Amino acid sequence: MGESAASSSGLFYLYGMVVGLLSKTSVRNKVVVITDALSGLGKECASVFHKGGARLILCGKSWEKLEGLADDLASASDPTKTFPPKLVLLDFGDMDSMPEVIAEILECYGCLDILILNSSLKVKAPAQSVSLEMDKLLMDNNYFGPATLAKGVLPSMISRRTGHLLLVNSIQGKLTVPFRTTYAASKHAVQAFFDCLRAEVEEYGISVSTISHTFISSSASGKAASSKSIWSRDQKPLGVSPDEAVAEIVKTLSNKRKEVVIAPSLPKVAIYARSFFPNVFFAVMAAGVKNAAAFEKM
């Protein structure tokens, strides 16, 4: 009973914070693109920004699911204060389609103000078992796709001298975890791309932000499913819920912070350890692999 009340109060607190930040961010009438509107985070973003009066462009791989999401948003909002979302099919795994996708996004409103890049593809496996085709698919989804879309919309932002590119990235863009070789490589690549881009476009009034997280759970209010992870201690979940992640996104759009890390203390310590005590970090990672292998043989 007490836990349920605490969870509800947490949700109300987050909702109140998001509403307050939205009023400061002034997303009303802003053109906002969400690259994966069908994920848990994407749907939460769509709901918050739609209610805030943004002109949404929702992207995803399934037209039927995008239409369903648009219907859900319409039924839960006041049509006199919101705009019907525009829908665009987007699959970063199909790089040949990107020129048409970019053109379609720009044609929706003739410009865009905010691009939220939240698409991601994950693979966990020993390096030698991952095929070249899977390597390429991961790089397309996690690096080439977001980079290509950002470059495609930049001329419009530069001509208007305004815009905000926000990358939702994994903490593995900052440090590496065993059995995620190509995934970590793609996340490092996209992190480096937007870090470089930030300095290039600042003179045009364009902001670039990156938000790095451990993982985003499918449940609300931080009730992430417990799993045995290299980040886990006593099997406590270290992920963030979609509503918490959206609150951080809204906050970042408001204060234009360049880099945000959403993580408990253990992963944050690992980032610093990797930078200042690399040999210690490598030893801990190797020990973790050996312990996992021993556990599986038991």
Side-chain angles (χ1 to χ4, degrees):
M1 184 76 175
E3 184 177 347
S4 177
S7 177
S8 298
S9 63
L11 277 173
F12 282 121
Y13 171 77
L14 280 172
Y15 178 77
M17 185 174 70
V18 168
V19 170
L21 287 170
L22 273 176
S23 63
K24 294 179 182 178
T25 309
S26 298
V27 296
R28 178 164 296 281
N29 295 320
K30 293 286 182 69
V31 178
V32 180
V33 179
I34 303 173
T35 60
D36 184 5
L38 299 177
S39 64
L41 174 59
K43 289 178 180 178
E44 194 71 25
C45 278
S47 176
V48 167
F49 285 103
H50 182 67
K51 291 176 181 177
R55 299 174 186 263
L56 284 178
I57 301 176
L58 305 178
C59 304
K61 297 179 181 180
S62 168
W63 186 260
E64 182 179 354
K65 291 180 179 179
L66 284 173
E67 286 185 320
L69 175 58
D71 290 341
D72 291 342
L73 293 174
S75 62
S77 61
D78 183 348
T80 64
K81 298 180 180 179
T82 58
F83 299 94
K86 305 279 188 179
L87 310 179
V88 175
L89 280 175
L90 170 60
D91 181 1
F92 283 144
D94 180 13
M95 289 301 295
D96 291 337
S97 68
M98 288 308 297
E100 293 180 7
V101 170
I102 293 169
E104 188 174 352
I105 287 175
L106 291 173
E107 286 172 4
C108 286
Y109 288 105
C111 65
L112 72 156
D113 299 292
I114 298 169
L115 173 60
I116 299 176
L117 297 147
N118 68 307
S119 306
S120 186
L121 179 65
K122 300 179 181 179
V123 169
K124 178 183 177 182
Q128 68 273 16
S129 68
V130 181
S131 67
L132 178 59
E133 288 73 21
M134 181 55 69
D135 284 339
K136 291 179 177 178
L137 186 61
L138 277 164
M139 292 302 293
D140 282 346
N141 277 273
N142 297 345
Y143 170 61
F144 288 115
T148 300
L149 180 54
K151 290 192 288 185
V153 302
L154 266 178
S156 172
M157 288 185 171
I158 289 174
S159 67
R160 298 173 64 233
R161 303 190 74 83
T162 185
H164 199 145
L165 303 173
L166 191 149
L167 172 71
V168 180
N169 201 21
S170 168
I171 199 171
Q172 292 184 57
K174 293 181 170 296
L175 73 164
T176 54
V177 177
F179 305 114
R180 295 164 179 83
T181 47
T182 306
Y183 176 72
S186 67
K187 292 301 182 179
H188 270 71
V190 76
Q191 181 74 36
F193 176 86
F194 283 95
D195 283 348
C196 290
L197 183 64
R198 180 183 296 113
E200 294 182 22
V201 301
E202 186 174 350
E203 64 176 301
Y204 303 110
I206 299 170
S207 300
V208 176
S209 301
T210 61
I211 297 179
S212 302
H213 58 81
T214 46
F215 65 89
I216 296 179
S217 66
S218 58
S219 52
S221 298
K223 300 294 179 182
S226 179
S227 61
K228 291 181 179 179
S229 163
I230 199 163
W231 301 125
S232 298
R233 186 177 181 181
D234 299 328
Q235 306 309 316
K236 293 179 181 178
L238 299 180
V240 296
S241 64
D243 51 349
E244 290 171 325
V246 171
E248 197 62 52
I249 287 173
V250 173
K251 183 179 177 182
T252 302
L253 291 174
S254 176
N255 60 26
K256 299 187 184 299
R257 191 171 172 184
K258 296 176 174 60
E259 185 175 75
V260 177
V261 175
I262 314 176
S265 57
L266 183 59
K268 288 182 178 178
V269 168
I271 293 176
Y272 289 110
R274 171 64 181 86
S275 299
F276 297 105
F277 307 102
N279 288 337
V280 173
F281 175 80
F282 297 147
V284 171
M285 291 297 103
V289 172
K290 291 177 183 177
N291 291 340
F295 180 82
E296 289 177 359
K297 291 179 181 178
M298 292 176 65

